[in-house]
Amino acid sequence: MAKKILVTGGTGYIGSHTVVELINEGYEVVIADNLSNSFAFVIDNIEKITGVRPYFYKTELTDAGATKAIFDKHPDVCGVIHFAALKAVGESVEKPLLYYHNNLFSLINIIQAMEEIGCHNLVFSSSCTVYGQPDELPVRETSPILPALSPYGNTKQIAEEMIKDKAGISELKAILLRYFNPIGAHASALIGELPIGVPNNLVPFITQTAIGKRKELSVFGNDYQTPDGTCIRDYIHVVDLAKAHIISLERLLDKRNKNSVEVFNIGTGKGYSVLEVINAFESASKVKLQYKFAPRRQGDIEQIWADTDYANEELKWCAERNLFEMLESAWKWECNLGTLNL
Ligand code: UD1
């Protein structure tokens, strides 16, 4: 019998790629998503890629009853990967209560419903944002958690604390994955990042500019204390990131976890500046990108990249795809978007 996994936010960017990897590994998948930042066609495309249609429920996970109803329909769920959350840093500054309400109530409801059916395995989508601007680079899992720079970042910090507190007094076991900057798309170009409205993140803005949907990219700041003056991030291919979730889930299911809550950095261990990303994009796409330098974006940290030794050694996981492949797949996805019936 295939093991059944609930993926919240499973039609979203990272969620959909993880659902594909789960199905490929023989899991049965139940998706719960409110489609607030994703589209129902993603389910069709997951089916096109894998040949299997996951269960899908359009659900508000902030509603405890609606959340519990999914578990009541699928009491054999043995693990949960919880992605569903709002993630726009700027918007979270404008609407802090929306972010605290959405990101924290949904987590509380999920953990409560898991306990009620006796499911104790949780993989949680955290973020490198919990480190703020670290004093030492690369940043390690043991590095200090500095005050969050945005309500979004704070929801991730609080969520980590909530999970630790609950695991301390119950059977809950969790792996918290601190993602760096996920980019790229599935090789099929049938799923990828599809922001609604003007993209906040760098790579969708780049691909939309290159294809002509946007006039030019603004590079936020060129006076940082970095070699070329632009910010540095650790970009990771979304498929590599998705695979880290399957490995983490299996670690919990096989009871190979060493503590009730474990934390892993999921990045490549390499930092690239915004200008390096632009150059890599131009060589991957053969398109000259229109861009200009603009003032720094509020809340941006200067530079961060991961120490991935712990994830590499403990999870036996390693990012495989390089920056060129990330941007090549992102471009293929953008070019294919016009052919999808949205
Ligand atoms: C942020 C969060 C991350 C979160 C992610 C989700 C921090 C430190 N990071 O990532 O935790 O998961 O958002 O949305 O809070 N840039 C431009 N022009 C643009 C867009 C971006 O120059 O039009 C630059 C930014 O200044 C930054 C880099 O590109 O240096 C990456 O930005 P972005 O893709 O938005 O991701 P983060 O802000 O790093």
Side-chain angles (χ1 to χ4, degrees), residues 87 89 127 129 152 181 200-202 205 217-220 231 233 235 274 297 300-301:
K87 61 157 196 168
V89 177
S127 166
T129 196
Y152 158 76
N181 285 58
N200 292 302
N201 296 112
L202 178 64
F205 209 106
L217 170 77
S218 292
V219 174
F220 297 137
C231 289
R233 297 286 184 273
Y235 296 92
V274 176
R297 181 171 69 176
D300 264 344
I301 58 166

Side-chain angles (χ1 to χ4, degrees), residues 141 175-178 262-266 310-311 314-315:
E141 288 84 350
I175 293 184
L176 316 179
L177 298 181
R178 291 181 182 155
E262 294 180 305
V263 180
F264 295 98
N265 281 345
I266 304 296
Y310 189 53
E314 259 317 307
L315 297 179

Side-chain angles (χ1 to χ4, degrees), residues 207-223:
T207 58
Q208 290 195 9
T209 305
I211 209 150
K213 287 183 191 161
R214 314 263 157 221
K215 193 167 136 273
E216 66 184 351
L217 170 77
S218 292
V219 174
F220 297 137
N222 62 345
D223 56 353

Side-chain angles (χ1 to χ4, degrees), residues 91-108:
E91 184 187 51
S92 79
V93 176
E94 301 294 317
K95 301 174 183 170
L97 297 187
L98 175 70
Y99 273 67
Y100 288 115
H101 183 270
N102 186 78
N103 292 3
L104 298 178
F105 275 117
S106 57
L107 176 62
I108 292 169

